[in-house]
Amino acid sequence: MNTDVNFLQLIIATVLFFVMMFGIGFILNMLLKTTWFPIYLLVLILIPVYIWQTWDESRTFAGNFTAFTFVDILPIIGAGIGAYVSGATIRALRRGGYKMF
């Protein structure tokens, strides 16, 4: 039963990261008039901050990176997909003739 709850939490966390990054990316794209800024934000700021936050000084450099599991990586993949989808949505709206986006 405990693994079912953990799996459900993983699914909810991944969807939540997707929705949050899509929403933040969509708003940033509207305000800054950029298309792919949320992906750059994710890669240049959010992922390094996550790695720094989970860094353990007692482990080696390689040991820190091998300590990440599928549970750690899947929500970040969901956030990356959300960032990409927000850029693709803004691009489609601009091609559709919407001046606001």
Side-chain angles (χ1 to χ4, degrees), residues 22-87:
F22 177 82
I24 291 169
F26 195 84
I27 291 170
L28 284 175
N29 283 330
M30 280 194 311
L31 294 176
L32 300 176
K33 301 289 184 191
T34 63
T35 302
W36 304 114
F37 179 72
I39 291 178
Y40 303 140
L41 177 74
L42 180 76
V43 171
L44 295 176
I45 301 205
L46 296 179
I47 292 176
V49 166
Y50 178 71
I51 291 172
W52 175 73
Q53 180 185 7
T54 59
W55 200 263
D56 187 9
E57 294 293 329
S58 65
R59 286 191 232 148
T60 63
F61 183 78
N64 275 308
F65 283 108
T66 57
F68 289 115
T69 62
F70 185 70
V71 174
D72 299 322
I73 296 170
L74 191 63
I76 292 186
I77 291 172
I81 293 171
Y84 176 78
V85 171
S86 73

Side-chain angles (χ1 to χ4, degrees), residues 4-19:
D4 294 337
V5 173
N6 291 337
F7 186 70
L8 182 63
Q9 288 174 347
L10 177 64
I11 292 171
I12 291 171
T14 304
V15 171
L16 181 66
F17 275 80
F18 171 82
V19 170

